[in-house]
Amino acid sequence: GQNIDQPTEMTATEGAIVQINCTYQTSGFNGLFWYQQHAGEAPTFLSYNVLDGLEEKGRFSSFLSRSKGYSYLLLKELQMKDSASYLCAGMDSNYQLIWGAGTKLIIKP
Amino acid sequence: DAMVIQNPRYQVTQFGKPVTLSCSQTLNHNVMYWYQQKSSQAPKLLFHYYDKDFNNEADTPDNFQSRRPNTSFCFLDIRSPGLGDAAMYLCATSRAPDGPYEQYFGPGTRLTVT
């Protein structure tokens, strides 16, 4: 079956670094996405990895290991506005996204 | 700016009263999706259109129907809403098969059923 696992909730301190992990199982694999979703709003695209390694985009970086079925999203210099849910989604062989339930990130001052 | 637009943003309907949600896009993407999302849950794919080809997810209830009259517009019809259909409904678009594959979401329609 297809499945995405990520922690339900994480707490971090403003200015710190946090890593949100995701493991995935998909039928075929066409990449791994991370989305940010603020409460009551739609998801917004953060990153896409299809090859192994680290992709850096400003304060956010995303890592993929295809052999381990594993990804993480790294957020640096945390700001209060980063409080949101972070959704991991794997793209299967039909180019459909298999979504995780999201990790709610709470930032404390 | 190119975007995905959903109307209305908030919809209140009565139990059993049909409702239609709309989505339009100016991205000229060929794939359009309808998702249902309940609080603290993953988005659940209801349907998607690949160009004109309609794809219904196996577990989407018959109560939900969709129309895509042209590339830019897509509608979600809920024929007889139940209390369990209260949720955020998200429309998204993407480009396939050449990509980029990220899905662009509209702001969503929050449906309340009374």
Side-chain angles (χ1 to χ4, degrees):
Chain A
Q2 305 196 95
N3 193 51
I4 303 286
D5 281 319
Q6 55 182 127
T8 303
E9 188 174 294
M10 298 182 71
T11 302
T13 304
E14 189 177 16
I17 299 172
V18 71
Q19 178 175 311
I20 303 174
N21 297 323
C22 169
T23 57
Y24 66 88
Q25 277 184 295
T26 58
S27 300
F29 181 72
N30 279 303
L32 193 290
F33 292 81
W34 285 96
Y35 281 80
Q36 180 190 60
Q37 187 174 27
H38 285 101
E41 298 182 9
T44 55
F45 169 74
L46 289 177
S47 68
Y48 171 58
N49 294 65
V50 66
L51 300 176
D52 290 348
L54 187 68
E55 296 270 349
E56 297 188 72
K57 197 185 289 187
R59 293 190 298 115
F60 292 8
S61 301
S62 55
F63 171 84
L64 177 68
S65 169
R66 289 174 296 171
S67 62
K68 295 181 180 178
Y70 168 71
S71 174
Y72 67 72
L73 181 69
L74 191 72
L75 292 77
K76 302 177 185 176
E77 301 170 15
L78 285 169
Q79 302 175 9
M80 297 304 292
K81 67 178 182 179
D82 297 330
S83 293
S85 286
Y86 291 85
L87 298 160
C88 175
M91 178 168 275
D92 69 12
S93 57
N94 293 319
Y95 297 94
Q96 297 306 308
L97 288 182
I98 311 303
W99 293 87
T103 298
K104 183 178 181 181
L105 179 63
I106 299 167
I107 311 295
K108 295 186 174 178
Chain B
D1 285 341
M3 57 177 55
V4 182
I5 301 162
Q6 289 188 245
N7 285 302
R9 295 289 308 276
Y10 301 91
Q11 176 74 58
V12 180
T13 191
Q14 293 177 334
F15 183 94
K17 186 174 182 181
V19 66
T20 295
L21 310 182
S22 72
C23 176
S24 63
Q25 54 125 342
T26 59
L27 296 161
N28 203 30
H29 285 170
N30 63 321
V31 189
M32 292 186 79
Y33 307 82
W34 278 107
Y35 287 94
Q36 179 194 65
Q37 189 180 28
K38 298 184 177 180
S39 182
S40 302
Q41 295 185 18
K44 178 182 183 299
L45 183 64
L46 297 173
F47 324 93
H48 75 277
Y49 286 88
Y50 189 113
D51 296 317
K52 294 181 180 179
D53 292 337
F54 174 71
N55 297 273
N56 191 23
E57 294 303 299
D59 58 353
T60 299
D62 293 340
N63 196 26
F64 291 84
Q65 304 286 320
S66 183
R67 297 169 281 137
R68 188 180 186 186
N70 54 52
T71 303
S72 301
F73 286 86
C74 197
F75 299 95
L76 173 63
D77 301 309
I78 308 176
R79 293 192 295 186
S80 182
L83 297 178
D85 297 327
M88 175 78 91
Y89 289 88
L90 296 164
C91 174
T93 71
S94 70
R95 179 176 291 146
D98 298 333
Y101 300 122
E102 57 263 34
Q103 294 183 11
Y104 292 83
F105 285 84
T109 295
R110 178 155 308 276
L111 178 68
T112 301
V113 181
T114 61

